[in-house]
């Protein structure tokens, strides 16, 4: 019976209108899914470990002037300074570099290479959320006498391309650094203890020798009781590094940033903005395609209003009379979804080969979230179409 109804109602269907909807929907959904899949493919490279696409962080210090150095002016930040910075509209959060208040010396070597080094050194710590490494091993247990350590990646580069190069010593990769044995001697408050240091990662963001905050709090209390650490550097998470208010505030307060954090943050911000615009365009095209199909169906309903009215009079329910339109919408939307997934797969195959030349560490990512997202969009749009068509049939 539904086949007869379909034959009766299909006469006024415009192939051009349905084709326009189909192409617009396909184009819009492909843009949305391709944007999501591309982000999933490249995000691990930029958001795990040492990433420039992580949150926008700035390391702030006070400017050191000649007069300030001669007069012994402190270059540390007070609690009031940190609170004032937190209240600024461009600030998301503020963390402090906690310095070590005790003496630290380290002896390190590699038995297989004959390398032996010994030096006085220092430790700093920041809250865990500001770290740019995996936190799986970023823990300290006083009973284990093992101190996890993160060093700047440029320290390793200085050794490989400076010290080792000039003395014909073997160069070290990050993977070989677990062979390094470090004996850390801590002293203060009449105590001297030896710990084992373990380098667990390298940082691009933080140019200092880092230890867990839990260790720093424990060690300062144990080796320097009664002393209050005063941070000389702050790490600031900002909303938009391109905000000119940041430079104005820093100039007014006499602060400066380490490295090119503001420039890198601006590049990150604009990259995110462009990605959002691309996905937004895809959603807009999909929305316009949705309205194209709705207008086509409304036009069909108007042209077939008399036939629909007669079908309802002879006993057809609104669901039975509207089934051909429901099926038309569902089939079109599911077809768009299938073809969009195919277009994304072809595009992904093309760009992955290009990206792997520049990012050999690019990890594999699944396409399942992209496929499910497209399916949810297709089902949602189909459900909206069914709801609107049913509402119109009730008016008839």
């Amino acid at each position: 019976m539904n086949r007869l109804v379909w034959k009766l109602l299909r006469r006024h269907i415009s192939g051009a209108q349905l084709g326009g909807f189909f192409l617009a929907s396909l184009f819009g959904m492909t843009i949305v899914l391709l944007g999501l899949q591309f982000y999933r493919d490249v995000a691990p490279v930029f958001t795990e470990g040492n990433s420039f696409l992580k949150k926008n962080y700035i390391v702030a210090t006070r400017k050191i002037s000649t007069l300030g150095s001669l007069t012994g002016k402190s270059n540390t930040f007070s609690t009031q300074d940190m609170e004032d910075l937190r209240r600024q509209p461009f600030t998301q959060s503020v963390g402090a570099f906690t310095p070590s208040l005790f003496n630290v010396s380290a002896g390190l070597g590699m038995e297989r290479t004959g390398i032996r080094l010994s030096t006085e050194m220092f430790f700093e710590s920041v809250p865990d959320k500001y770290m740019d490494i995996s936190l799986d091993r970023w823990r300290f247990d006083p009973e284990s006498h093992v101190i996890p350590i993160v060093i700047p990646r440029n320290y390793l580069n200085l050794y490989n391309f400076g010290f080792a190069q000039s003395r014909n010593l073997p160069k070290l990769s990050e993977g070989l650094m677990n062979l390094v044995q470090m004996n850390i001697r801590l002293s203060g408050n009449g105590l001297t203890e030896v710990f084992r240091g373990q380098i667990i990662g390298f940082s691009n963001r933080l140019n200092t020798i880092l230890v867990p905050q839990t260790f720093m709090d424990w060690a300062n209390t144990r080796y320097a009781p009664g002393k209050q650490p005063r941070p000389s550097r702050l790490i600031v998470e900002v909303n938009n590094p391109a905000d000119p208010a940041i430079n104005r505030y820093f100039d007014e307060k006499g602060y400066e940033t380490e490295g090119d954090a503001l420039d890198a943050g601006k590049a990150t911000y604009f990259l995110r903005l462009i990605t959002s615009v691309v996905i937004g365009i895809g959603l807009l095209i999909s929305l316009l395609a949705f309205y194209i199909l709705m207008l086509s169906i409304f036009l069909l309903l108007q042209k077939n209003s008399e036939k629909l009215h007669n079908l309802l009079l002879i006993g057809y329910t609104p669901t039975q009379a509207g089934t051909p339109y429901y099926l038309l919408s569902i089939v079109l939307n599911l077809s768009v979804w299938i073809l969009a997934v195919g277009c994304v797969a072809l595009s992904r195959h093309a760009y992955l080969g290009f990206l792997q030349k520049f990012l050999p560490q690019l990890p594999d990512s699944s396409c399942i979230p992209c496929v499910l997202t497209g399916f949810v969009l297709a089902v949602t749009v189909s459900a909206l179409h069914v709801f609107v068509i049913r509402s119109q049939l009730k008016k008839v």
Side-chain angles (χ1 to χ4, degrees):
M1 187 63 70
N2 286 333
R3 183 177 299 178
L4 295 175
V5 174
W6 169 246
K7 289 182 179 180
L8 178 66
L9 300 177
R10 71 181 181 181
R11 297 184 58 187
H12 296 290
I13 292 179
S14 171
Q17 290 175 338
L18 294 182
F21 157 76
F22 186 84
L23 292 176
S25 292
L26 177 61
F27 188 57
M29 185 175 287
T30 299
I31 290 177
V32 173
L33 298 186
L34 186 59
L36 293 174
Q37 186 60 47
F38 182 82
Y39 177 80
R40 282 185 53 80
D41 285 333
V42 301
V45 176
F46 301 125
T47 58
E48 293 180 0
N50 298 302
S51 160
F52 73 86
L53 278 186
K54 289 183 75 113
K55 296 178 180 178
N56 299 311
Y57 293 117
I58 298 172
V59 176
T61 60
R62 287 187 180 276
K63 293 180 181 179
I64 298 178
S65 63
T66 302
L67 181 61
S69 300
L70 294 176
T71 58
K73 183 179 179 181
S74 173
N75 66 331
T76 60
F77 292 92
S78 65
T79 303
Q80 291 76 15
D81 293 331
M82 296 176 62
E83 289 299 323
D84 183 65
L85 186 54
R86 286 192 181 97
R87 288 193 295 267
Q88 301 307 309
F90 55 77
T91 302
Q92 283 283 90
S93 64
V94 177
F97 283 77
T98 305
S100 54
L101 303 178
F102 46 88
N103 297 320
V104 182
S105 62
L108 60 138
M110 293 181 64
E111 295 180 357
R112 299 183 185 180
T113 62
I115 299 174
R116 292 286 186 275
L117 298 173
S118 180
T119 183
E120 297 288 327
M121 61 186 300
F122 65 95
F123 286 147
E124 284 187 298
S125 66
V126 294
D128 289 352
K129 74 173 187 175
Y130 298 103
M131 295 296 297
D132 55 348
I133 64 163
S134 171
L135 300 179
D136 294 341
R137 296 190 294 164
W138 194 239
R139 296 184 298 271
F140 171 71
D141 181 5
E143 300 297 327
S144 69
H145 273 231
V146 176
I147 306 173
I149 298 174
V150 169
I151 65 175
R153 182 167 276 106
N154 58 11
Y155 282 22
L156 182 61
N157 293 336
L158 285 173
Y159 168 81
N160 283 332
F161 304 111
F163 185 80
Q165 184 79 19
S166 63
R167 290 167 175 76
N168 294 321
L169 293 172
K171 294 181 174 60
L172 303 177
S173 67
E174 294 182 14
L176 290 176
M177 289 305 292
N178 58 358
L179 298 176
V180 175
Q181 300 174 356
M182 300 183 66
N183 293 319
I184 308 296
R185 183 181 298 273
L186 308 179
S187 59
N189 193 32
L191 300 173
T192 299
E193 294 178 299
V194 177
F195 290 75
R196 183 165 62 89
Q198 183 177 11
I199 297 176
I200 67 166
F202 299 85
S203 174
N204 282 332
R205 178 192 302 154
L206 304 172
N207 191 26
T208 187
I209 302 173
L210 291 165
V211 292
Q213 186 70 52
T214 52
F215 166 77
M216 185 63 76
D217 295 339
W218 175 85
N220 278 339
T221 302
R222 181 174 178 82
Y223 301 110
K227 294 183 179 180
Q228 186 67 28
R230 295 286 300 272
S232 59
R233 295 193 293 171
L234 301 178
I235 182 167
V236 186
E237 180 187 351
V238 296
N239 298 317
N240 173 14
D243 189 345
I246 299 176
N247 284 326
R248 288 199 299 268
Y249 179 83
F250 275 41
D251 289 341
E252 177 186 341
K253 294 292 185 178
Y255 301 163
E256 57 186 3
T257 62
E258 291 187 357
D260 56 353
L262 282 177
D263 293 335
K266 291 176 182 178
T268 301
Y269 173 77
F270 285 118
L271 181 58
R272 288 176 178 165
L273 180 62
I274 291 172
T275 302
S276 301
V277 168
V278 169
I279 294 179
I281 290 173
L283 291 174
L284 178 60
I285 293 173
S286 298
L287 184 62
L288 293 174
F290 169 80
Y291 280 111
I292 289 174
L293 182 60
M294 287 309 309
L295 290 174
S296 300
I297 293 176
F298 284 159
L299 184 59
L300 283 174
L301 291 174
Q302 290 296 325
K303 290 180 178 179
N304 292 324
S305 60
E306 185 177 350
K307 296 175 183 177
L308 291 169
H309 184 68
N310 291 334
L311 288 173
L312 296 175
L313 288 177
I314 63 176
Y316 280 87
T317 65
T319 300
Q320 290 174 322
T323 297
Y325 300 111
Y326 302 154
L327 293 176
L328 178 64
S329 173
I330 292 171
V331 169
L332 284 173
N333 285 308
L334 291 181
S335 299
V336 166
W337 166 59
I338 294 172
L339 287 177
V341 170
C343 292
V344 169
L346 292 175
S347 301
R348 183 172 184 262
H349 178 73
Y351 72 68
L352 279 182
F354 177 78
L355 287 177
Q356 286 172 350
K357 295 179 181 179
F358 299 95
L359 300 171
Q361 75 276 27
L362 191 69
D364 293 331
S365 60
S366 173
C367 294
I368 294 178
C370 172
V371 174
L372 292 179
T373 300
F375 180 74
V376 170
L377 285 174
V379 170
T380 302
V381 171
S382 298
L384 289 173
H385 283 153
V386 169
F387 173 77
V388 174
I389 294 169
R390 188 175 181 83
S391 299
Q392 291 297 315
L393 285 173
K394 287 182 178 179
K395 295 180 181 178
V396 173

